[in-house]
Amino acid sequence: MITKQAAKAVVDAYEQANNRANRLRDEKLLATVEAGQVNEQSRADYKQWSTWSATRQKEYGGAFFYQDRTYYIPRAGSADWFAVRATSSYGERQESLLIFDKAAGTYKLTMAFYTPRGEPFPKIAVDRDGFVQVAQPSQKVGSLAPSELGSVYEDFFESGGTKKAAKAFAATDASKDSTKVYRERNEGKLSTYLTKKFFSQEPAHPTVYALKLAGGGVVAGFPTAHTQERMLKPQYMSSFQIGPNDEEAVYNRSKRTVITDEFQGQGLAQMSQKAKPKVLTIEYRMVDSR
């Protein structure tokens, strides 16, 4: 499908263009090397740049590189995408899994995951010729298929996991953090006046990527999305309005009785026939507020 040398050139070109685009906040340049859910999040970063601290702006605009790379390339005919495992020079030098897929006829980064520090990365299965095996997103691995991960995961936000997510997923730091968002949704000084709810929605880019693991199982990169709604309680609607925070004001500065924020995310899960899926990492960006 692609040689390691050509895959290396794709990643090198991504680094160069991404570093320049981040420094200039150039969406058009970034779109030449990036697509999918990761691009949704990057464009949101550019949009909200003015709300960041000077320290964060400096870090984000600085150059970074992917080092110690391992290329996971499927056999020709089995997939049109490939993955790269690497260590990022950015921040805490976390281990990363990058997905490059064809978009508009060229390979672009479509998903990127930073695995938790100290968490052993699942071992990808490689055949005797060095090729990886792609898993079908629609095929169940235990109780869920990779293509079902996103919609089921969103139940952590909608109900705290009580309807289906807590039973479907193994408890991880990622799932605990998501449950905490639900549990604390109506805390704070404004809780007297408004309520906060979450609603699952279709991700902007629905493609799921899955690779088979050594010893069985699958590692899957999945898209996910939800909206967050803050609404004044009925008794206050005629007298008050909600002021948007700095990030929300980038999209809509007006005060209103309901503020709806859209979040686009991407997650990485380890799946097994004999155990619940384990979400290793998940990350969201607010991409709109209305």
Side-chain angles (χ1 to χ4, degrees):
M1 185 189 74
I2 188 173
T3 65
K4 286 186 178 180
Q5 291 79 9
K8 178 182 182 300
V10 169
V11 182
D12 290 345
Y14 172 76
E15 288 177 339
Q16 294 171 12
N18 183 71
N19 283 329
R20 179 173 172 78
N22 285 351
R23 188 171 68 252
L24 302 174
R25 275 89 66 203
D26 188 335
E27 288 188 16
K28 290 184 179 180
L29 174 59
L30 188 64
T32 65
V33 293
E34 200 174 89
Q37 288 295 91
V38 73
N39 188 244
E40 290 288 325
Q41 295 182 339
S42 295
R43 289 190 290 112
D45 289 341
Y46 291 179
K47 187 80 171 177
Q48 297 168 35
W49 176 271
S50 63
T51 69
W52 293 1
S53 67
T55 299
R56 187 180 180 190
Q57 289 179 349
K58 183 178 179 180
E59 290 177 350
Y60 193 93
F64 76 97
F65 305 94
Y66 290 111
Q67 304 164 332
D68 306 320
R69 302 175 190 168
T70 299
Y71 297 92
Y72 297 120
I73 300 174
R75 287 186 180 276
S78 65
D80 293 326
W81 57 274
F82 68 94
V84 182
R85 180 181 171 186
T87 301
S88 172
S89 65
Y90 178 79
E92 299 181 347
R93 295 179 57 82
Q94 287 175 285
E95 197 164 39
S96 310
L97 184 69
L98 314 172
I99 305 294
F100 289 87
D101 198 356
K102 281 284 186 71
T106 186
Y107 282 109
K108 298 181 182 182
L109 182 73
T110 55
M111 281 191 169
F113 308 99
Y114 293 94
T115 56
R117 294 188 67 82
E119 179 78 26
F121 192 86
K123 187 176 181 180
I124 306 295
V126 179
D127 68 20
R128 64 182 183 181
D129 295 317
F131 294 107
V132 295
Q133 290 184 305
V134 174
Q136 295 301 316
S138 59
Q139 186 172 344
K140 286 188 181 296
V141 183
S143 60
L144 291 176
S147 59
E148 297 174 311
L149 291 170
S151 59
V152 176
Y153 189 88
E154 287 301 328
D155 181 55
F156 282 122
F157 295 97
E158 289 187 305
S159 76
T162 58
K163 292 183 178 179
K164 51 187 175 181
K167 294 179 181 179
F169 289 98
T172 62
D173 288 344
S175 64
K176 291 175 184 177
D177 287 345
S178 299
T179 305
K180 183 180 179 182
V181 171
Y182 173 84
R183 188 172 62 248
E184 298 178 353
R185 68 196 184 284
N186 289 324
E187 295 182 2
K189 61 182 181 180
L190 294 179
S191 60
T192 301
Y193 305 98
L194 56 81
T195 59
K196 183 187 292 184
K197 294 182 180 180
F198 299 88
F199 302 92
S200 176
Q201 71 171 51
E202 290 296 317
H205 304 274
T207 304
V208 176
Y209 302 94
L211 290 171
K212 294 184 179 181
L213 296 174
V218 164
V219 63
F222 63 95
T224 188
H226 62 254
T227 56
Q228 168 190 284
E229 180 184 273
R230 289 190 292 149
M231 177 184 291
L232 283 170
K233 294 179 179 179
Q235 61 267 38
Y236 299 112
M237 280 195 171
S238 61
S239 305
F240 296 93
Q241 289 187 315
I242 309 169
N245 61 31
D246 291 344
E247 291 78 14
E248 291 166 334
V250 168
Y251 301 94
N252 186 343
R253 305 190 70 86
S254 63
K255 294 182 179 180
R256 44 212 193 262
T257 57
V258 181
I259 292 181
T260 301
D261 300 331
E262 178 185 340
F263 292 84
Q264 292 289 337
Q266 50 182 331
L268 184 70
Q270 183 175 350
M271 307 182 73
S272 168
Q273 295 288 356
K274 299 180 180 180
K276 296 178 180 179
K278 181 168 66 172
V279 176
L280 305 176
T281 183
I282 195 161
E283 187 174 7
Y284 290 88
R285 292 288 195 284
M286 186 178 72
V287 301
D288 189 29
S289 180
R290 49 194 183 268

